[in-house]
Amino acid sequence: MLSFNRADLPLEEVLSDASVELIEQTLTSIVLPKGYRLLEDKEGVKHAYLIKKGIVRIFVTTEDKEITFEFAREKDILSTSLGYFYQSPSYECFELLEDTILYQIDLVEMKQLFYKSIEICNWARQFTELNAIKTQKQLIDILVLTPENRYLHLMEHDKALFQRVPLKQIASYLGISPISLSRIRGRIK
């Protein structure tokens, strides 16, 4: 079994040792290769994943393309709203962009922890709130900022992403074509 510790959790400062121990008892560690896709079977979602090591592209597929709308990495939790709340099939997919170490947790077991520990319940609520704010900000940025300003913002706040993710996926995340991204990069240099 891989070593799990408090530092692997997002928002670890709000959980007591007893709560961390309860969470740890429900985790299964898994190692998956670069390129592996989670949730492709479109079955009901039964698990969430905590990323110990690696980066994951979150995307949806349309008739003619894949649209990247998020990247998750160490300490992020991979889950879908439909899966988390209803264990229903998801509209999004997760693709591992690096060899990845994950902690898998059964969503039913996770919800049972909420009854055992108000602290864990509040931790999950806080994490859900932060993700909702992050998603809202991303949507507003797409609606309000120019593609060049979205690129500059990403460079300023998450430059390391460019070392770990192919440019075509960053272009998709920014809502532009790879050619437009190339032009923006050329103008800014």
Side-chain angles (χ1 to χ4, degrees):
M1 172 142 182
L2 295 170
S3 168
F4 173 80
N5 63 59
R6 162 185 297 284
D8 293 325
L9 289 170
L11 312 172
E12 70 271 1
E13 68 277 356
V14 300
L15 290 174
S16 67
D17 290 342
S19 292
V20 171
E21 188 175 308
L22 282 174
I23 291 171
E24 181 179 18
Q25 292 170 10
T26 65
L27 300 176
T28 303
S29 58
I30 56 177
V31 179
L32 296 170
K34 176 181 178 177
Y36 188 87
R37 290 187 173 190
L38 295 167
L39 305 183
E40 272 205 320
D41 57 13
K42 299 300 181 192
E43 297 283 322
V45 177
K46 296 175 178 59
H47 299 99
Y49 304 89
L50 171 62
I51 302 172
K52 178 171 179 70
K53 179 182 175 291
I55 189 163
V56 180
R57 174 175 75 110
I58 304 168
F59 67 98
V60 294
T61 303
T62 65
E63 287 183 19
D64 59 343
K65 63 182 172 181
E66 295 176 348
I67 301 169
T68 301
F69 63 90
E70 188 59 73
F71 297 101
R73 61 201 99 182
E74 291 81 8
K75 289 189 164 191
D76 284 339
I77 295 176
L78 293 173
S79 184
T80 69
S81 296
L82 290 172
Y84 179 76
F85 291 109
Y86 306 111
Q87 288 78 51
S88 297
S90 174
Y91 54 85
E92 66 240 88
C93 291
F94 301 146
E95 178 185 21
L96 310 184
L97 300 180
E98 300 172 347
D99 292 342
T100 302
I101 301 170
L102 302 168
Y103 294 112
Q104 178 179 281
I105 186 166
D106 181 278
L107 289 170
V108 172
E109 288 181 34
M110 183 66 176
K111 289 181 181 179
Q112 289 172 353
L113 290 180
F114 299 163
Y115 295 104
K116 293 180 180 178
S117 169
I118 190 70
E119 191 176 50
I120 293 173
C121 187
N122 283 331
W123 171 79
R125 177 194 48 78
Q126 184 181 22
F127 183 79
T128 302
E129 289 171 357
L130 290 172
N131 276 337
I133 291 166
K134 182 178 174 183
T135 300
Q136 182 181 30
K137 182 181 180 338
Q138 183 181 0
L139 175 61
I140 291 169
D141 285 352
I142 286 283
L143 294 171
V144 175
L145 298 177
T146 66
E148 188 168 314
N149 285 337
R150 290 195 300 271
Y151 171 78
L152 290 170
H153 184 267
L154 189 60
M155 283 295 292
E156 182 180 339
H157 293 94
D158 200 358
K159 194 171 187 170
L161 191 66
F162 289 84
Q163 305 303 313
R164 299 177 79 180
V165 175
L167 288 176
K168 70 178 186 176
Q169 292 171 356
I170 289 175
S172 176
Y173 174 70
L174 293 171
I176 59 178
S177 71
I179 293 169
S180 295
L181 178 57
S182 179
R183 288 181 185 144
I184 290 169
R185 289 169 56 93
R187 282 194 305 268
I188 292 175
K189 286 185 179 184

